[in-house]
Amino acid sequence: MDIYKDFKFENNETPKYVQLANYIKNMIDKRKIKEGDKLPTIRDLSKRLGVNNVTIVSAYNKLKLEGYAYQKVGSGSYAKRKEVASNFRKEYSNALKKLSMEILSEVVDFTGETTAEVLFPIDDLKNIINEVLERDGANALLSDNRNGYTNLIYTINKVFWDNNLNNEDIIIVSGAQQGIDIASKGILNINDNIIVEKPTYVGALSVFKWRKVNLFEVPIEEDGINLDKFEKILQKNEIKCFYTMSYFQNPTGISYSIEKKKRILDLAEIYDFYIIEDDYLSELIYENSLEYVPFKWLDKRDRVIYIKSFSKIFLPGIRLGYLVAPEIFRETLQNSKHNTDITTSSLMQRALESYISGQKWKKNIKDLNDEYIQRYTQMKSILDNEFGDILTYIDPRGGLNFYLTLKDDYRVNTKELFMSLKKRNVYITPGVMFFTSQNDGQDSFRLSFYQTDKERIEKGMRILKEEIISIVNNQRGY
Amino acid sequence: MDIYKDFKFENNETPKYVQLANYIKNMIDKRKIKEGDKLPTIRDLSKRLGVNNVTIVSAYNKLKLEGYAYQKVGSGSYAKRKEVASNFRKEYSNALKKLSMEILSEVVDFTGETTAEVLFPIDDLKNIINEVLERDGANALLSDNRNGYTNLIYTINKVFWDNNLNNEDIIIVSGAQQGIDIASKGILNINDNIIVEKPTYVGALSVFKWRKVNLFEVPIEEDGINLDKFEKILQKNEIKCFYTMSYFQNPTGISYSIEKKKRILDLAEIYDFYIIEDDYLSELIYENSLEYVPFKWLDKRDRVIYIKSFSKIFLPGIRLGYLVAPEIFRETLQNSKHNTDITTSSLMQRALESYISGQKWKKNIKDLNDEYIQRYTQMKSILDNEFGDILTYIDPRGGLNFYLTLKDDYRVNTKELFMSLKKRNVYITPGVMFFTSQNDGQDSFRLSFYQTDKERIEKGMRILKEEIISIVNNQRGY
């Protein structure tokens, strides 16, 4: 469809380039032009509309200025929208909404995005809160430091970093999502270029798109991103930052090799960019072959913004995490947090501090590991024994997910698979959820065992296999 | 100083307009060019630098694109920075930091920005949290609805709005600051025009400046903004929204008349803009002459984004509030909240719900009113009896602040007054903190009785008077 066919310049006071820019904006808002669509070349469009080149250039510049387009060096202009919610994304998100409202015992939730099950001992929490209120009285409600509760900052530095960080660089945040938002507001401006992994966490993609930056995607391999493609992008574009999940990358489950981490840190220095390291799950390592060495530990030149979430493995409803800022961004990120919500709930910070500085923390992590490793082992063994012909995967060796790709003979669209599994009360996350383009990830999906005990895993995997085979048979016309 | 004197074009590959834009950006970052400074006219600068007009236009366009400049219709280009932290702002903020770390009994804190004193009964909180944990078990940690705890949303609608709102339009936020941030991210883009009150709340100014919008200021009068000036701006510029505090405007303490509110709502329809209403303190009304009718109640055409904080009058360290979205922005604002931090702490939302739906809420508000009305009356009487020659003020009839303007004979720079009062352990907020330009608010200041009991008010006011007179005498050469 040629959407410029219907466009005509009005003979009024509005300059032509403004008319054209408004028309294109309108088309983008109405999704006639899609996120990432290439706009016509200047030459082509000026010819078709019978106007001067300058009119088109000015219109495109106006679009860029207002965040409706971006330029790729040597490749032209592309459309950009703030929000990208395809119909399927809405479908998926509505399904989850329902799922979290009415948790039925028959449901098998492999999405890992709801939180019906909490492995945290609720009595511990009650006791900690009461202790804090007893000990601190009304002070428990007060913030003593705009970066976060001072003792919590000290405890984090001591327990997790052997006091190797500057306390001033630590900012308490309301979960990793807020950490990403704060980092984004603090260091990114409209039209900045950033690199993300392909596929990647959709919550981070949203934040970056809202910030109207230009996204470059680099494919994930077994030990991290593809470095050749990474460096090619760095050579051609001024990149401001690289967003990465160094352990159990979401969704692929891969972890970076130490060599790749070192090389990326070197590149950060050479090409002058920063690394946003989202460490959301590294406590759950099930194999000794996997060592815990985040980018931040290897970071000698202060190139890493480190973001740690406590939500997944600690207290899901509490929304706590922290961010470690490079010195150069310390003040900016502190201000960014302050502008976002002044400070995170003081009482919950005090409870977390008391929990970490006591010994219960370690026991709880061990208990979680014991439980999840069983689920991991079980799911892995079913995949190996029952799905060998059907799909492939990379062994995550930790975390809460498997990322699976269907083999050629069993290639079905995983959006379709989602829909038919949903009818049988089994929920998966289709690959398309983790890509910026709707054309990617069609034959892959993620299975999480975060919300499924062993019994549910067994049942869910059985239904999964049945549905894949049933769809394939249908396609083959059986 | 002519900062363009030292600028020379290099004979290299970088286009001239990029060189010039980079130079100006650098000057803005280094504060050689200040926020709001007018840039030279195109004609003037092209002459001085000996280049074509087009070079200057392109450079200015690049600056605008990157958020370093903005245009006023018919008036030229102006410099813009993301962060505006003058030396004095830093001085003030450091003083507050110290103040909140070591609250000495001798200190009189008239800033109202620390929270040493909590009038909330801590045992109530302990009991509520235990009740919630007892009742909901692990569910207390879980979010049942991405807009906020469902029962809290219902309770807010019932208790405060007589069920006149759509539950779907209510979003629970982590305090009013987050509400402003979410609204800003949701509906504002770079270079959008917005109107704010002059003077206004500095935390809102920061959010808007981070968003790189263009700010238009309209002076505050006794019953709201000056409508003539307001409408003139609306006629000449496409305005996206107006940010207002309808009751006890911070810092001036004024409340809008119902007539002005109605007129502004009409204008919103005529000129197609939205109103962000920040209702942070309306529970504290001390005089019957003042009726509680927020913009949102009068809003028949869904033009108001209403933001309510519970922090100041309820639980300061808990960070809870809510936002009511117009239907047109409902989804955008829900997504904006979700991108910001997924959701607000579930346990605290449940505690708040239980507190509001019980009867203790009303008693607590009454107790707060009883205490603050005494402080208000006392401060007012000291102002009337002791400061009649020295300063003027508008009676706020509620809230927690007085905003004072020194009379001609006692005009001293209130930044200076702040510094000398600080030496005597009395803290005020100089007027300059509430303006975008450092030249405004020099002879005014805010006194808050939020953190000062009657004894401290008496002592602080005595020292205040002594210091004003001492500085004035010094100026006169006595």
Side-chain angles (χ1 to χ4, degrees), chain B residues 236-266:
Chain B
K236 284 200 188 152
N237 305 276
E238 212 169 287
I239 296 295
K240 196 105 167 230
C241 79
F242 166 50
Y243 168 74
T244 178
M245 286 164 280
S246 44
Y247 282 84
F248 316 123
Q249 200 265 356
N250 187 5
T252 62
I254 69 103
S255 300
Y256 279 68
S257 66
I258 293 186
E259 294 68 41
K260 267 205 176 163
K261 278 181 277 205
K262 284 186 179 159
R263 178 67 188 147
I264 290 167
L265 282 162
D266 286 344

Side-chain angles (χ1 to χ4, degrees), chain B residues 232-299:
Chain B
K232 257 183 206 140
I233 293 172
L234 292 171
Q235 280 159 1
K236 284 200 188 152
N237 305 276
E238 212 169 287
I239 296 295
K240 196 105 167 230
C241 79
F242 166 50
Y243 168 74
T244 178
M245 286 164 280
S246 44
Y247 282 84
F248 316 123
Q249 200 265 356
N250 187 5
T252 62
I254 69 103
S255 300
Y256 279 68
S257 66
I258 293 186
E259 294 68 41
K260 267 205 176 163
K261 278 181 277 205
K262 284 186 179 159
R263 178 67 188 147
I264 290 167
L265 282 162
D266 286 344
L267 290 171
E269 192 65 17
I270 296 168
Y271 292 100
D272 191 17
F273 65 88
Y274 287 83
I275 298 164
I276 301 178
E277 178 174 32
D278 181 356
D279 184 4
Y280 77 117
L281 213 53
S282 56
E283 292 79 3
L284 300 179
I285 294 181
Y286 310 139
E287 287 199 16
N288 292 333
S289 63
L290 198 58
E291 219 183 328
Y292 180 59
V293 188
F295 278 98
K296 190 70 196 171
W297 282 15
L298 301 167
D299 177 25

Side-chain angles (χ1 to χ4, degrees), chain B residues 200-248:
Chain B
T200 189
Y201 168 52
V202 65
L205 281 182
S206 292
V207 170
F208 298 137
K209 286 191 176 173
W210 275 65
R211 200 83 195 140
K212 298 205 174 191
V213 300
N214 304 322
L215 295 172
F216 292 82
E217 299 175 281
V218 177
I220 281 283
E221 297 169 345
E222 210 153 319
D223 60 346
I225 42 158
N226 178 312
L227 282 183
D228 289 343
K229 291 188 177 155
F230 190 64
E231 206 167 343
K232 257 183 206 140
I233 293 172
L234 292 171
Q235 280 159 1
K236 284 200 188 152
N237 305 276
E238 212 169 287
I239 296 295
K240 196 105 167 230
C241 79
F242 166 50
Y243 168 74
T244 178
M245 286 164 280
S246 44
Y247 282 84
F248 316 123

Side-chain angles (χ1 to χ4, degrees), chain B residues 1-167:
Chain B
M1 187 191 63
D2 179 6
I3 57 153
Y4 300 95
K5 207 183 55 189
D6 298 332
F7 174 73
K8 281 197 179 54
F9 289 109
E10 301 287 332
N11 211 341
N12 61 22
E13 278 185 8
T14 311
K16 280 186 179 168
Y17 81 93
V18 175
Q19 290 184 38
L20 176 60
N22 286 343
Y23 178 77
I24 295 177
K25 266 160 65 176
N26 199 5
M27 290 293 110
I28 293 174
D29 282 338
K30 286 183 176 159
R31 295 163 206 212
K32 299 272 167 82
I33 301 174
K34 298 209 176 53
E35 166 81 17
D37 276 3
K38 194 170 187 304
L39 300 177
T41 62
I42 312 252
R43 194 187 217 176
D44 175 35
L45 197 55
S46 67
K47 223 183 197 171
R48 278 157 71 188
L49 300 179
V51 290
N52 203 302
N53 276 353
V54 177
T55 305
I56 313 293
V57 171
S58 305
Y60 281 13
N61 280 341
K62 185 169 159 61
L63 290 173
K64 279 172 216 157
L65 175 69
E66 292 169 359
Y68 278 87
Y70 62 100
Q71 189 133 26
K72 283 191 193 169
V73 175
S75 161
S77 296
Y78 291 79
K80 183 159 71 174
R81 284 205 311 123
K82 190 163 67 177
E83 236 176 307
V84 184
S86 69
N87 289 339
F88 181 73
R89 270 184 211 277
K90 278 202 186 134
E91 176 89 45
Y92 178 81
S93 131
N94 286 336
L96 285 199
K97 249 183 245 174
K98 250 194 218 149
L99 199 55
S100 58
M101 293 239 202
E102 31 167 316
I103 303 294
L104 305 161
S105 54
E106 310 94 68
V107 164
V108 179
D109 175 13
F110 283 140
T111 68
E113 299 192 36
T114 62
T115 44
E117 179 196 66
V118 177
L119 295 180
F120 189 83
I122 200 79
D123 279 339
D124 279 5
L125 180 67
K126 216 187 296 183
N127 294 337
I128 291 168
I129 290 180
N130 279 311
E131 276 163 35
V132 167
L133 288 172
E134 209 72 58
R135 184 191 68 194
D136 299 343
N139 283 330
L141 305 182
L142 303 179
S143 158
D144 73 334
N145 172 347
R146 62 178 241 165
N147 301 336
Y149 174 50
T150 307
N151 285 343
L152 177 58
I153 289 173
Y154 291 172
T155 299
I156 284 170
N157 200 354
K158 193 174 128 200
V159 173
F160 302 114
W161 297 88
D162 239 346
N163 283 325
N164 278 315
L165 299 178
N166 289 321
N167 290 322

Side-chain angles (χ1 to χ4, degrees), chain A residues 229-437:
Chain A
K229 290 187 177 155
F230 190 64
E231 206 167 343
K232 256 182 206 142
I233 293 172
L234 292 171
Q235 279 160 1
K236 283 200 189 151
N237 305 274
E238 212 169 287
I239 297 296
K240 195 104 164 230
C241 80
F242 166 51
Y243 168 75
T244 179
M245 286 164 280
S246 43
Y247 282 84
F248 316 123
Q249 200 265 354
N250 187 6
T252 61
I254 69 102
S255 300
Y256 279 70
S257 66
I258 294 185
E259 293 67 42
K260 267 206 177 161
K261 279 182 274 204
K262 283 187 180 160
R263 179 64 189 150
I264 290 167
L265 282 162
D266 286 344
L267 290 172
E269 191 64 19
I270 296 168
Y271 292 99
D272 191 17
F273 65 89
Y274 287 84
I275 297 163
I276 301 179
E277 178 173 31
D278 181 354
D279 184 4
Y280 77 116
L281 214 54
S282 56
E283 291 79 2
L284 300 179
I285 294 180
Y286 310 138
E287 287 199 15
N288 291 333
S289 63
L290 198 57
E291 220 183 327
Y292 180 58
V293 188
F295 278 98
K296 190 70 196 171
W297 283 16
L298 301 167
D299 177 25
K300 295 201 174 60
R301 294 139 175 157
D302 223 10
R303 285 280 168 191
V304 177
I305 297 162
Y306 175 87
I307 297 169
K308 177 75 205 159
S309 161
F310 290 118
S311 303
K312 272 270 193 250
I313 49 134
F314 177 41
L315 294 161
I318 296 303
R319 311 291 324 144
L320 280 172
Y322 66 95
L323 179 152
V324 185
E327 203 192 326
I328 186 176
F329 292 129
R330 187 199 285 170
E331 209 189 322
T332 305
L333 292 173
Q334 287 172 357
N335 289 340
S336 177
K337 164 65 180 168
H338 198 70
N339 279 335
T340 300
D341 66 353
I342 312 280
T343 178
T344 294
S345 167
S346 164
L347 178 58
M348 285 303 130
Q349 291 191 60
R350 284 168 201 255
L352 177 62
E353 192 282 326
S354 154
Y355 184 62
I356 297 176
S357 63
Q359 287 309 305
K360 286 200 173 150
W361 157 264
K362 284 186 186 153
K363 180 169 180 318
N364 187 249
I365 292 284
K366 201 190 158 300
D367 289 348
L368 279 180
N369 260 282
D370 289 349
E371 173 63 28
Y372 289 133
I373 201 170
Q374 286 186 39
R375 299 184 185 181
Y376 159 80
T377 311
Q378 190 204 12
M379 193 177 260
K380 196 175 154 198
S381 115
I382 297 176
L383 285 169
D384 292 344
N385 295 328
E386 303 284 333
F387 287 81
D389 295 339
I390 298 176
L391 46 77
T392 62
Y393 68 94
I394 298 168
D395 183 356
R397 298 176 289 165
L400 297 168
N401 308 317
F402 283 88
Y403 191 68
L404 309 150
T405 304
L406 295 164
K407 289 187 177 174
D408 282 354
D409 285 351
Y410 290 86
R411 184 165 290 163
V412 306
N413 187 317
T414 51
K415 283 195 274 191
E416 205 184 313
L417 181 61
F418 171 85
M419 301 305 285
S420 58
L421 282 169
K422 195 179 119 190
K423 284 184 200 138
R424 299 191 63 185
N425 274 329
V426 175
Y427 291 79
I428 60 167
T429 310
V432 70
M433 296 299 295
F434 306 103
F435 292 86
T436 58
S437 153

Side-chain angles (χ1 to χ4, degrees), chain A residues 65 82-83 90 115 126 130 134 141-142 177-178 181 185-186 206 210 317 319 335 339-341 346, chain B residues 65 82-83 115 126 130 134 141-142 177-178 181 185-186 206 210 317 319 331 335 339-341 346:
Chain A
L65 175 70
K82 190 161 66 176
E83 237 176 308
K90 279 203 188 134
T115 44
K126 216 187 296 182
N130 280 312
E134 210 70 61
L141 305 181
L142 303 178
Q177 184 73 25
Q178 188 181 64
D181 183 52
K185 278 192 291 194
S206 293
W210 275 65
R319 311 291 324 144
N335 289 340
N339 279 335
T340 300
D341 66 353
S346 164
Chain B
L65 175 69
K82 190 163 67 177
E83 236 176 307
T115 44
K126 216 187 296 183
N130 279 311
E134 209 72 58
L141 305 182
L142 303 179
Q177 183 73 26
Q178 188 181 65
D181 183 51
K185 278 193 292 195
S206 292
W210 275 65
R319 312 289 324 141
E331 209 189 322
N335 288 340
N339 280 335
T340 300
D341 66 352
S346 163

